[in-house]
Amino acid sequence: MRIEAADEELARRLASEAGRELLTLRDKLGFSSAAQLRREGDLRGNDVIMSGLLEARPRDAILSEEGSGERGRDGRSRLTAERVWIIDPLDGTREYGEAGRDDWAVHVALWAHGELALGVVALPAQDLILSSEQPPPKPEPGDRVRIAVSRSRPPGFLSAVVEALDAELVPMGSAGAKVSAVVLGKVDAYVHAGGQFEWDSAAPVAIAEATGLHASRIDGAPLTYNNPNPRLDDLVVCRAELSAPILGAIAKSR
């Protein structure tokens, strides 16, 4: 799927602006009230991206975690739209509210004509932006398989995967941060189950696929976006040669 160069420039600019706003808010409010910081962060990040999209692409539909009405999770007009921006203005809200953590992200993705067309992930606290239009080199394998997992909700079946691959688990926050860690070769895989939505994975998956990585559901089914129900509960992103052993170990454990 080809997109306009201006779409990538817009996505990168909005992710960057939202990231700077989130860093400024962190400095201003501090960490004495994590709940307030997280709440304000979600709203400010969403405002930056939403206002930018409405100004630059007023005819496009939007699916945002923090949106409402037609631009929220219950909107229906996006289902007949040709272009839908899928955004998560603050992925890893828990980590954003904890001092010293850099594993939170800003996601901006574009779904067009039936498939993911573009993804940009900003990791503001790491001073890093990744884009599917300018993907990094394909990562090289490490000495031992490393699997990124949720800090708070690691899937129970992962013990079978760890045993099958003699792997090491690496807990971290934010789906965007975990997929980015695979893209950059810091880990070899990311496995998730137990609840996510399309905005959690759209932008990171677009980048992973552009980098030549495997991305699917945990049963191997393809990931699809802009569905009537935006829940997308599970995800495997990994180096291509690990997909068969990981998916096989998951299948045997269930």
Side-chain angles (χ1 to χ4, degrees), residues 57-194:
R57 299 290 186 273
R59 295 182 179 178
D60 290 352
I62 301 173
L63 170 61
S64 171
E65 179 183 16
E66 303 303 328
S68 59
E70 282 301 311
R71 301 184 182 92
R73 63 184 66 192
D74 297 324
R76 310 300 291 181
S77 60
R78 64 181 173 80
L79 300 177
T80 55
E82 293 185 346
R83 289 163 50 95
V84 181
W85 294 89
I86 302 175
I87 66 175
D88 188 343
L90 175 52
D91 184 64
T93 307
R94 172 182 169 181
E95 285 71 28
Y96 176 72
E98 297 179 16
R101 297 207 68 94
D102 62 8
D103 47 349
W104 50 276
V106 179
H107 298 176
V108 180
L110 176 62
W111 177 96
H113 305 287
E115 62 186 72
L116 280 181
L118 167 67
V120 170
V121 172
L123 297 160
Q126 300 179 33
D127 192 23
L128 179 65
I129 293 182
L130 298 173
S131 168
S132 59
E133 289 300 286
Q134 302 175 56
K138 193 173 182 178
E140 297 294 328
D143 295 332
R144 186 182 185 192
V145 174
R146 302 150 297 174
I147 303 175
V149 296
S150 169
R151 295 173 63 203
S152 57
R153 295 173 296 164
F157 60 71
L158 267 177
S159 57
V161 179
V162 168
E163 182 177 356
L165 277 70
D166 187 26
E168 172 188 1
L169 297 183
V170 184
M172 63 178 75
S174 169
K178 290 192 276 284
V179 175
S180 296
V182 184
V183 168
L184 297 171
K186 295 178 180 178
V187 297
D188 303 285
Y190 166 38
V191 180
H192 179 85

Side-chain angles (χ1 to χ4, degrees), residues 184-239:
L184 297 171
K186 295 178 180 178
V187 297
D188 303 285
Y190 166 38
V191 180
H192 179 85
Q196 277 188 349
F197 292 86
E198 292 184 10
W199 47 77
D200 292 306
S201 64
V205 162
I207 297 168
E209 291 179 337
T211 309
L213 298 171
H214 168 90
S216 73
R217 306 288 301 267
I218 59 172
D219 63 358
L223 298 156
T224 63
Y225 292 88
N226 196 31
N227 296 297
N229 183 346
R231 284 191 69 94
L232 193 51
D233 282 328
D234 52 75
L235 173 69
V236 173
V237 175
C238 64
R239 291 192 285 106

